[in-house]
Amino acid sequence: MATKLRLQRGGRKGYAFYSIVIADVRAPRDGKFTEKIGTYNPNTNPATVDLNFDRALYWVEVGAQPTDTVRNILKGEGVYLMKHLRGGVKKGAFDESAVQAKFDAWKSEKAAKLDSVRNGVANEKKATYEKNLAEEKKVNEAIAKKVAEKKAAIEAAKASEASEAPAEETSNEAE
């Protein structure tokens, strides 16, 4: 039985959410599958991947062929790096402790890059929020200034009417 690692679509229209599954090549995309090894959510920034690393590595080592997208996901998670490093162990190039050290170094570097991306997105969002807030404050101040000017003009008009009204009353009484 030829097997593939592929994505099985879920989620609502316009908001895709995928399961990473092992399936027979003849099975339909959202049909029967052998095993679910993870999920992939492209809607977050950066995309969220939840993967059972050991099972994914097992299936890649036994010859299951991934689709292009799943291959990129597996590379991003380090499955292909670990397969490569394990091949080096089989050939005698280095031992298990060296493999684990190299993989941990790669994983920490990858985590640092992801953190910098997340921080960049958060900082950009914060800067945009502060910029919009400052612009809104300027607009509100301009509106408040106009309202204050209108109120002052109305008060001035009432004051001038009030001062003219007693003068007219006194002139009427004198006559």
Side-chain angles (χ1 to χ4, degrees):
M1 172 174 89
T3 56
K4 268 196 174 295
L5 285 100
R6 64 177 173 205
L7 298 177
Q8 186 176 49
R9 192 182 194 286
R12 66 178 190 266
K13 182 168 72 171
Y15 194 84
F17 185 85
Y18 298 96
S19 296
I20 302 170
V21 297
I22 310 300
D24 187 347
V25 290
R26 297 167 292 190
R29 179 192 71 178
D30 296 337
K32 187 177 177 182
F33 60 90
T34 307
E35 182 180 355
K36 179 180 174 183
I37 61 170
T39 59
Y40 169 63
N41 185 1
N43 301 306
T44 60
N45 188 8
T48 307
V49 177
D50 180 30
L51 185 68
N52 184 342
F53 186 85
D54 296 329
R55 292 305 293 168
L57 183 61
Y58 165 78
W59 281 105
V60 168
E61 285 181 339
V62 297
Q65 294 298 309
T67 60
D68 293 339
T69 306
V70 174
R71 184 181 310 113
N72 289 334
I73 291 170
L74 295 177
K75 282 180 182 177
E77 292 296 309
V79 173
Y80 276 97
L81 176 64
M82 183 59 87
K83 179 184 175 194
H84 173 72
L85 293 173
R86 280 188 172 180
V89 169
K90 288 177 186 174
K91 292 178 182 177
F94 36 80
D95 60 345
E96 280 292 326
S97 61
V99 166
Q100 198 59 40
K102 286 183 180 185
F103 186 74
D104 290 341
W106 176 85
K107 197 70 167 173
S108 64
E109 183 180 319
K110 174 102 169 132
K113 285 181 184 178
L114 274 176
D115 287 342
S116 67
V117 167
R118 286 188 186 118
N119 290 339
V121 168
N123 290 340
E124 182 179 322
K125 190 180 268 189
K126 185 177 179 182
T128 302
Y129 173 77
E130 290 175 355
K131 178 184 167 195
N132 290 342
L133 184 62
E135 289 175 3
E136 188 175 340
K137 283 182 180 180
K138 286 180 184 178
V139 169
N140 288 343
E141 289 172 0
I143 291 172
K145 186 177 180 181
K146 287 181 183 179
V147 168
E149 288 174 1
K150 283 185 180 181
K151 284 184 178 181
I154 291 171
E155 291 295 326
K158 284 183 180 179
S160 65
E161 286 178 10
S163 63
E164 290 176 8
E168 290 176 9
E169 288 179 11
T170 54
S171 62
N172 289 342
E173 290 175 5
E175 292 176 6

